[in-house]
Amino acid sequence: SDSPDFELPGDFCLEIEAYATTGNNRFYNVIFDTAGNGSGAGGFSFELSSIRDAGLVIAGGLRAGAPSNPNDGVKHRYCFDRNSGTIKFFKDGVQIGSQAYGAGILSNGLSIGAFMDGVSTENWTGHIAAVRLTRASRYTADHTPPALPFPEA
């Protein structure tokens, strides 16, 4: 869906519970993608890759993330939370990275479970238990991830 509903002009929180298939050694292994047009211009993609680790690729270039052994075959809770221009990256509630990025993030569509580069589609290899994207910061420090399903508030 190409909608301004997926644009992120300010604070946001993207939470995902998932695991990548053990032994996956693909360069891109994208769970959530709003770039959708091949260039990534303006949008973002969340990936779990044994080559690039876990990360958020923003506007076709900036990459926020951290080494996290995403392909260990165990379900983990990943969270990117932007508060006042800083994106913090959490794995299982523990902060493992941060990146300054205050510009708005546009949307060129939404894909869950695939990376759409305008030429081909690479499907996610792994399991996704839950995804929640909100236009509010939820976590500014280490935390206990909420039980699934995600609460409505």
Side-chain angles (χ1 to χ4, degrees):
S1 172
D2 188 6
S3 170
D5 290 342
F6 304 113
E7 294 181 359
L8 302 170
D11 293 350
F12 70 88
C13 184
L14 172 63
E15 299 170 85
I16 295 176
E17 181 170 297
Y19 70 90
T21 305
T22 302
N24 175 351
N25 54 5
R26 296 170 62 191
F27 189 73
Y28 298 108
N29 199 22
V30 174
I31 295 177
F32 192 96
D33 180 27
T34 69
N37 64 357
S39 70
F44 73 95
S45 299
F46 173 72
E47 64 186 24
L48 292 175
S49 164
S50 61
I51 296 171
R52 290 167 42 120
D53 291 309
L56 192 65
V57 180
I58 304 169
L62 177 71
R63 192 161 188 293
S68 60
N69 188 24
N71 299 342
D72 61 2
V74 176
K75 212 180 309 182
H76 294 285
R77 295 290 285 277
Y78 297 95
C79 172
F80 281 93
D81 188 285
R82 177 164 69 181
N83 183 295
S84 301
T86 298
I87 300 172
K88 293 184 178 181
F89 180 43
F90 299 90
K91 179 180 177 184
D92 297 326
V94 177
Q95 183 179 337
I96 60 173
S98 68
Q99 174 73 47
Y101 191 82
I105 300 173
L106 304 176
S107 172
N108 294 308
L110 173 66
S111 176
I112 296 177
F115 171 67
M116 312 286 280
D117 70 357
V119 177
S120 63
T121 300
E122 289 193 37
N123 292 321
W124 160 255
T125 55
H127 301 274
I128 303 170
V131 176
R132 175 169 68 171
L133 176 65
T134 55
R135 287 185 173 171
S137 173
R138 293 181 176 274
Y139 311 107
T140 57
D142 291 355
H143 59 279
T144 300
L148 293 180
F150 288 119
E152 297 209 11

